[in-house]
Amino acid sequence: MSGQSQRLNVVPTVTMLGVVKARLVGATRGHALLKKKSDALTVQFRQILKKIVSTKESMGDIMKTSSFALTEAKYVAGDNIKHVVLENVKEASLRVRSRTENVAGVKLPKFDYTNDGEAAKNDLTGLARGGQQVQQCRGAYIKAIEVLVELASLQTSFLTLDDAIKTTNRRVNALENVVKPRLENTISYIKGELDELEREDFFRLKKIQGYKRREIERKMILAREQQLVEKLQLQKGVSFDASHNLLSGTGDKDEDIIF
Amino acid sequence: MANRVPIPTSNSSLIAMIADEDTIVGFLLAGVGNVDIRRKTNYLIVDSKTTVKQIEDAFKEFTTREDIAIVLISQFVANMIRFLVDSYNKPVPAILEIPSKDHPYDPAHDSVLSRVKYLFSAESVASDRR
């Protein structure tokens, strides 16, 4: 694997070892936390999935009911009711309020519908005939909106959560497979280098020690030999120096002696 | 998370619609419709004379408007601009495909539901295996 051989480009010192170790601790903690977050998000995600499927299926029924209510209203109040409705559009009374919900640090949008305008403007629609059916139809469509708004908030949560889970998992995997091995490799590298330095030092010290000892021994031997020679010459009655002088003095010209 | 779209928390947003006439009339009756000062509506009635270009423009406009939180789109209309609906991936406004009277609802075409089903079956299979 490419992540195995990688390590950070650092100077192998004890300080750096401490820094990298601290980073490894941080990475481990972050990994554990992110894993928890991912689990929490996944739980929420599955709940939303189940809800979406059931709501989508119920939406079909509700839309069918409301379409049927509209057909009833059209049948009773005449087909031209749609022109009345289309002409009377002014300001939306049914609006959507959005707020955010926080799940493990991920902001999920939630929609609530509000009906503020109170069915005032279409009140007279179908006054001549079919007013009740029109009101029923309105009720059916408001109910449909209720379901659709819920579905919309589920769906946006689904998309947002999907995205969040993907990024979280990517981070978890990155920490686990890239950052942590790299830090571990760095730590083992620094430790190896430090060990090697120590060994080198030790070896050098040993070597110097050995060298010094050998030097001393050599001097000792020399000194002993010299002592031996001197002792020999003393026994013969001639000092080493004297004999030397004697020998070296032979080359000089003797002073003339005048009787 | 730089690509995360901030979720606006406005007090009240609109529901936009792209659908056939009957569906629009029903929702207008419920009080969803809105016409602003410049006579711009938050809905588009799709009939036999509506071109795909018009639908595309309306879809693009509704998905970029600030005050719209949900876009309802009839499934047969969504099928006409399927590539646009599928490539849309922002959380707000939410795109909802709804069934219409003349066209029965087919869950297989719904872009979100197909993803949901896919994940759902994959996850249930995974949980069975465990």
Side-chain angles (χ1 to χ4, degrees):
Chain A
M1 238 176 75
S2 62
Q4 292 292 25
S5 58
Q6 279 185 335
R7 59 172 172 79
L8 298 176
N9 197 13
V10 291
V11 188
T13 54
V14 181
T15 329
M16 220 7 130
L17 182 68
V19 170
V20 176
K21 268 188 177 166
R23 280 184 69 185
L24 180 66
V25 169
T28 313
R29 189 171 302 149
H31 176 253
L33 283 173
L34 276 177
K35 195 103 191 167
K36 268 185 201 160
K37 178 184 173 184
S38 159
D39 286 348
L41 290 181
T42 314
V43 168
Q44 193 79 11
F45 190 65
R46 289 191 186 182
Q47 281 175 0
I48 285 176
L49 276 184
K50 279 189 188 118
K51 262 195 223 158
I52 282 187
V53 170
S54 60
T55 319
K56 273 266 182 188
E57 271 149 18
S58 74
M59 178 190 78
D61 293 339
I62 286 194
M63 288 305 290
K64 207 159 68 187
T65 318
S66 44
S67 289
F68 190 63
L70 182 69
T71 316
E72 275 184 338
K74 268 191 190 167
Y75 175 70
V76 179
D79 206 20
N80 60 355
I81 183 178
K82 68 184 174 195
H83 301 299
V84 180
V85 174
L86 286 176
E87 283 306 311
N88 272 336
V89 175
K90 281 188 194 76
E91 182 105 333
S93 60
L94 212 77
R95 281 168 180 272
V96 177
R97 213 175 271 279
S98 59
R99 59 191 167 80
T100 51
E101 211 165 73
N102 200 341
V103 176
V106 179
K107 289 196 171 61
L108 297 179
K110 287 271 171 201
F111 297 123
D112 292 321
Y113 82 101
T114 50
N115 198 350
D116 49 353
E118 279 316 303
K121 23 181 230 246
N122 276 331
D123 252 359
L124 296 180
T125 315
L127 187 64
R129 50 196 180 135
Q132 202 186 348
Q133 257 72 29
V134 171
Q135 293 310 317
Q136 270 178 11
C137 175
R138 187 211 305 277
Y141 269 99
I142 287 177
K143 211 169 277 173
I145 284 287
E146 201 176 316
V147 173
L148 289 176
V149 167
E150 195 196 329
L151 191 56
S153 65
L154 285 176
Q155 199 173 297
T156 40
S157 306
F158 167 75
L159 291 176
T160 317
L161 264 183
D162 196 20
D163 204 37
I165 286 178
K166 262 188 221 155
T167 37
T168 312
N169 280 345
R170 203 155 46 220
R171 283 182 191 165
V172 169
N173 287 338
L175 274 178
E176 194 174 335
N177 296 325
V178 179
V179 176
K180 274 171 75 178
R182 190 177 289 174
L183 288 175
E184 276 158 7
N185 284 341
T186 313
I187 286 178
S188 60
Y189 159 73
I190 292 178
K191 273 186 179 164
E193 287 290 298
L194 285 179
D195 275 357
E196 202 165 314
L197 269 180
E198 202 176 323
R199 270 198 301 276
E200 246 172 49
D201 236 26
F202 189 68
F203 181 72
R204 195 160 51 227
L205 283 177
K206 276 276 173 200
K207 192 135 192 185
I208 290 172
Q209 219 172 24
Y211 178 74
K212 277 187 175 164
R213 205 179 53 223
R214 252 178 291 142
E215 191 85 337
I216 287 169
E217 270 173 14
R218 206 164 53 87
K219 275 185 181 161
M220 290 260 284
I221 291 169
L222 257 180
R224 211 177 298 148
E225 274 175 3
Q226 212 163 357
Q227 253 175 8
L228 259 174
V229 168
E230 270 179 25
K231 209 192 268 172
L232 212 74
Q233 283 168 340
L234 270 178
Q235 276 175 355
K236 283 183 177 176
V238 188
S239 90
F240 184 82
D241 288 334
S243 66
H244 175 79
N245 283 349
L246 204 73
L247 282 174
S248 63
T250 51
D252 293 336
K253 246 193 176 174
D254 284 335
E255 217 176 315
D256 290 341
I257 303 166
I258 305 167
F259 293 99
Chain B
M1 236 169 281
N3 57 351
R4 173 75 47 82
V5 186
I7 297 153
T9 49
S10 55
N11 278 334
S12 59
S13 320
L14 296 171
I15 305 172
M17 291 167 290
I18 307 174
D20 60 326
E21 192 173 35
D22 281 343
T23 313
I24 297 271
V25 168
F27 281 121
L28 290 189
L29 202 56
V32 174
N34 190 57
V35 178
D36 64 11
I37 310 159
R38 273 171 272 163
R39 301 298 296 167
K40 255 198 187 158
T41 56
N42 67 335
Y43 55 88
L44 176 77
I45 296 174
V46 176
D47 54 21
S48 53
K49 281 174 291 199
T50 316
T51 58
V52 177
K53 183 87 177 70
Q54 274 174 298
I55 300 171
E56 276 177 28
D57 289 345
F59 183 80
K60 277 176 193 157
E61 192 207 322
F62 291 156
T63 48
T64 47
R65 259 169 72 166
E66 296 278 308
D67 57 341
I68 287 177
I70 303 173
V71 178
L72 303 175
I73 181 164
S74 269
Q75 199 170 31
F76 79 98
V77 183
N79 284 338
M80 286 189 227
I81 53 163
R82 176 57 62 195
F83 59 98
L84 263 183
V85 179
D86 280 346
S87 61
Y88 179 82
N89 54 5
K90 278 188 282 181
V92 177
I95 307 294
L96 267 186
E97 293 181 27
I98 53 171
S100 59
K101 205 170 67 177
D102 311 325
H103 302 77
Y105 187 68
D106 183 8
H109 277 146
D110 192 318
S111 55
V112 172
L113 197 61
S114 60
R115 273 174 72 186
V116 171
K117 282 269 191 215
Y118 168 71
L119 283 172
F120 207 51
S121 56
E123 280 198 350
S124 58
V125 165
S127 59
D128 279 349
R129 227 181 280 153
R130 251 175 253 149

